Amino acid sequence: MAVLNEEQTMLRDMAREWTRNESPVTAWRKVRDADTATGYDPNVYNEMAQMGWAGIVIPEAQGGSDFGWLSLGLVIEELGRTLTASPLSASAVAAAAIVLGGSDAQKDAWLPRIASGELVATFALDEGPRHDPENIKTEVSGGKLSGTKAFVAEGDSAGLFVVAAADGLYLVDGNQAGVSRSRRHLTDFRSHADVTFDAVEADKLANGGDKLIDQVLDRARVVASAEMLGMAQQAFETTLDYLKQRRQFDQVLSTFQALQHRMASLFSDIELMRSAVEAGLAAIDAGGDTRQAALLAKTKANEVGHAMSREMIQLHGGIGMTDEYDAGFYLKRMRVLEAVWGNTAYLRDRFARLGGY
Amino acid sequence: MASAAELDRPSDALENFRAEVRDWLAANFPASLMGKGNALASVEGPTEETPEMTAWRKAMGEKGWGVPTWPKEYGGGGLSRAEAKVLADEMARVDAWNPIGGMGVMMFGPTLLEYGNEAQKREHIPAIAKGEIRWCQGYSEPNAGSDLANLQTFAEDKGDHYVVNGQKTWTSGGQWADKCFCLVRTDKTEKHKGISFLLIDMTAPGVEVKPIKMISGMSPFCETFFTDVKVPKENLVGEEGQGWTIGKRLLQHERTNLSGGGSRLMPSGPGLPDVAKKYVGTDAEGRIADADLRARIAKFEMDWRAFLLTAMRIQAESKAKGGVSEVSSILKTIGTKLGQERAELTIEIQGLQGLGWEGEGFSEAEIHSVRAWLFGKATTIYGGSTEIQNNVIAKRILGMLDHQ
């Protein structure tokens, strides 16, 4: 665990208490069973916003608290533990694009509404099922933006899109003719939508320069990693509890050395994952070139999250395969997060390129 | 050691048999049924039979070719292994599928042929060979999973019959089965020696089944409850107390079949390299554009070939020595591991398109690959988990003992 300041410790404790009491996995199960396109409970997001979470990375001038990315990561990690569904991550990443690249007028127009939780925003980058930021076909011509974005997180409820076009990032108000959304129902039952923009009004984020898209991607990657960290941590603890309690062959499973070693190995891997994810979040707060730190965070999150979600099922045995148990939720959400903003192969390739080899 | 080439070597007698099979298939297998077999019947439930399908099942049943190597006197095909391979090849050539399957064929039939008495074989084997009766397996219980011998379902001796009480779980296809082969306790004082192998009619009063929904959304398993179920003594296979021996033997057949656990759930369509070319694209030289993925696909393809060679070698060696080899344990661990790897690679290749749950935006094949990926996680758990199989390998094959 990173060394936290008093503010961060309080925030983490508050998030932990709130998720355990107000948003346990049973709450996610209800949202899953309701199976709506929105994929979250708006009342729950409203509650989160009232606690100030929607404004953690938004400047005070625009109604946020400017606590920073490590702070946001602490909250998202806790939400990941209990699989709490909300547009918090998507909105934070979109807000970051405006903070980094927006004019004062753009910031004043949108950020206060995101900070209050009234507006859901999202970053619409990829145009196919595999992460591929080098191939953006969306174009702006005569001041109008056209293109289709695939599997946009919270695309069903977003009121504001930060859209990547060939020549930069644009703000697109979702409530205008020419924006159409089509739900993509993935195994994680969260909101993903294909969004088509047909010659819509678009407002360029002109202040960010060439690096803006990379900077936003870095934030998207570390935020996804924080959720995966919480999920992996919880998957580990749930599995450990189960092994200590399930009896076979007249002894609890945790007495079998073969299983002890697997848990010890997963424990070690999650510690590495935690270091990488926290360092990624802290790097963004520190500023400068954050690409390598973000690549490392997401790669470790992908690798360890993959292994932990798989082992959670195997170590639980048959019960882990049932819909009645929670293990499947962690597996399904984990694979979706592994695929977004770069799978492991993609990230390793970027890491090597960045290193010049 | 027999090589693949030797197994394939033709002989005149076999060629005559091949001609006979071709003629028979031409006369009996309608082209309209090509590729219509339900390979996932055990997972998704039986398909509604069309009159054509019924005719095809009956034709194969009459011939005994659904269970080609079983003895003719009990309704099997009476074929040699070489002839059975010719039959399989010829069926594959015209895209014909075997309409006779399920647990009766894979596990229970071979076990009953070995341990059943004459009356039991005459009663049950022909019905399996004709695909008329569906069997399910009553082994696991809530507190008897990997530690199967801890099972508590009790069959009380009432003279000419037993009265069975208890609960089974993971009963594959329980909701579709006519009969159940069950491990029950007939003696509470002995762990392994108190177990007997009993056949229970699923329609008997006191039998209740409740499907279990899995993470894949499917319900191929049930919880089965027995409340004062009356079972005639004729339904005991072997002797009282012999259930553990018979039950384990049956599991060897299961493991041999499950070693294809991954392959059984593999879509019959294109292989991984073609899927990757389609979703990821290729470079100027036709290589899969993602070099890291390409290397892992190549590794998988090589591992899979090595696995198939091992399966063939074990089969050849078992045939030479007679009996199922204990090395079959490695087929299950490796086959299921590779099946899961393939499923993970498939969804990775397809990106988010490979994680669809439902909706028009996904093809049938894409949805299928997701469900198969999820359900496939069970293959390393059921039929003796990988951990249990590794114990078998370490203890029985390698002689590595527990702490003394």
Side-chain angles (χ1 to χ4, degrees), chain A residues 25 28 79-85 190 231 326 329-330 333:
Chain A
V25 184
W28 161 245
L79 297 173
R81 274 178 173 266
T82 61
L83 301 161
T84 302
R190 296 282 294 269
M231 289 167 59
D326 298 333
F329 292 157
Y330 288 86
R333 178 65 177 161

Side-chain angles (χ1 to χ4, degrees), chain B residues 232-246:
Chain B
K233 281 241 168 119
E234 297 89 83
N235 290 11
L236 177 73
V237 177
E239 306 289 326
E240 270 191 12
Q242 209 189 347
W244 187 247
T245 306
I246 302 174

Side-chain angles (χ1 to χ4, degrees), chain A residues 5 53 56 68 75 87 95 101 124 132 152 169 183 206 269 286 296 298 309:
Chain A
N5 62 32
W53 297 352
I56 291 177
V75 172
D132 191 8
V152 178
L169 301 186
R183 181 188 183 192
D269 287 342
L296 177 64
K298 180 70 167 35
S309 57

Side-chain angles (χ1 to χ4, degrees), chain B residues 66-98:
Chain B
V67 283
T69 58
W70 290 11
K72 249 193 152 98
E73 54 178 321
Y74 303 115
L79 303 184
S80 68
R81 279 191 183 274
E83 287 170 329
K85 186 171 185 308
V86 167
L87 174 63
D89 289 347
E90 287 304 312
M91 285 176 64
R93 201 178 55 81
V94 297
D95 216 357
W97 40 275
N98 189 348

Side-chain angles (χ1 to χ4, degrees), chain B residues 20-38 50-60 63 65 87-100:
Chain B
E20 180 195 332
V21 171
R22 274 189 196 187
D23 290 346
W24 187 85
L25 284 173
N28 290 280
F29 182 71
S32 58
L33 288 185
M34 277 186 178
K36 294 271 173 66
N38 183 3
T50 63
E52 264 185 327
M53 287 176 177
T54 308
W56 170 235
R57 175 169 58 80
K58 287 195 165 160
M60 281 287 277
K63 206 75 182 157
W65 281 358
L87 174 63
D89 289 347
E90 287 304 312
M91 285 176 64
R93 201 178 55 81
V94 297
D95 216 357
W97 40 275
N98 189 348
I100 315 284

Side-chain angles (χ1 to χ4, degrees), chain B residues 212-267:
Chain B
I212 304 169
K213 189 173 170 197
M214 306 295 281
I215 59 173
S216 57
M218 302 182 284
S219 300
F221 303 113
C222 293
E223 291 177 286
T224 305
F225 301 88
F226 299 114
T227 312
D228 294 333
V229 179
K230 213 173 144 179
V231 181
K233 281 241 168 119
E234 297 89 83
N235 290 11
L236 177 73
V237 177
E239 306 289 326
E240 270 191 12
Q242 209 189 347
W244 187 247
T245 306
I246 302 174
K248 269 198 311 181
R249 180 68 174 156
L250 185 139
L251 286 180
Q252 285 184 324
H253 291 294
E254 178 180 32
R255 279 162 202 176
T256 308
N257 281 295
L258 290 182
S259 57
S263 68
R264 231 161 33 97
L265 288 168
M266 279 188 191

Side-chain angles (χ1 to χ4, degrees), chain A residues 17-36:
Chain A
E17 198 185 319
W18 181 82
T19 49
R20 287 183 188 175
N21 295 329
E22 307 300 324
S23 184
V25 184
T26 48
W28 161 245
R29 184 177 288 278
K30 279 184 196 148
V31 174
R32 193 285 301 257
D33 290 345
D35 193 11
T36 61

Side-chain angles (χ1 to χ4, degrees), chain B residues 57-272:
Chain B
R57 175 169 58 80
K58 287 195 165 160
M60 281 287 277
E62 281 306 314
K63 206 75 182 157
W65 281 358
V67 283
T69 58
W70 290 11
K72 249 193 152 98
E73 54 178 321
Y74 303 115
L79 303 184
S80 68
R81 279 191 183 274
E83 287 170 329
K85 186 171 185 308
V86 167
L87 174 63
D89 289 347
E90 287 304 312
M91 285 176 64
R93 201 178 55 81
V94 297
D95 216 357
W97 40 275
N98 189 348
I100 315 284
M103 300 204 144
V105 172
M106 291 191 298
M107 296 175 243
F108 175 60
T111 309
L112 193 71
L113 281 169
E114 194 174 340
Y115 287 97
N117 61 36
E118 192 58 25
Q120 289 168 335
K121 287 194 245 186
R122 296 243 171 252
E123 182 185 352
H124 300 298
I125 301 290
I128 296 171
K130 288 187 162 54
E132 290 168 349
I133 293 289
R134 282 195 197 95
W135 285 86
C136 65
Q137 180 185 48
Y139 272 34
S140 299
E141 297 180 7
N143 287 310
S146 285
D147 185 10
L148 182 59
N150 190 42
L151 61 93
Q152 305 297 327
T153 295
F154 189 60
E156 191 184 355
D157 192 333
K158 293 280 188 183
D160 66 338
H161 67 275
Y162 296 102
V163 168
V164 179
N165 279 287
Q167 182 194 346
K168 293 291 176 182
T169 191
W170 310 123
T171 320
S172 305
Q175 70 269 56
W176 309 305
D178 305 295
K179 292 173 194 285
C180 180
F181 52 90
C182 247
L183 290 181
V184 297
R185 186 157 293 291
T186 42
D187 182 349
K188 292 182 179 175
T189 62
E190 297 240 40
K191 187 170 182 178
H192 294 84
K193 287 179 184 163
I195 295 172
S196 299
F197 195 99
L198 196 62
L199 310 181
I200 300 180
D201 189 333
M202 293 297 278
T203 62
V207 179
E208 269 183 274
V209 293
K210 193 178 148 218
I212 304 169
K213 189 173 170 197
M214 306 295 281
I215 59 173
S216 57
M218 302 182 284
S219 300
F221 303 113
C222 293
E223 291 177 286
T224 305
F225 301 88
F226 299 114
T227 312
D228 294 333
V229 179
K230 213 173 144 179
V231 181
K233 281 241 168 119
E234 297 89 83
N235 290 11
L236 177 73
V237 177
E239 306 289 326
E240 270 191 12
Q242 209 189 347
W244 187 247
T245 306
I246 302 174
K248 269 198 311 181
R249 180 68 174 156
L250 185 139
L251 286 180
Q252 285 184 324
H253 291 294
E254 178 180 32
R255 279 162 202 176
T256 308
N257 281 295
L258 290 182
S259 57
S263 68
R264 231 161 33 97
L265 288 168
M266 279 188 191
S268 50
L272 281 180

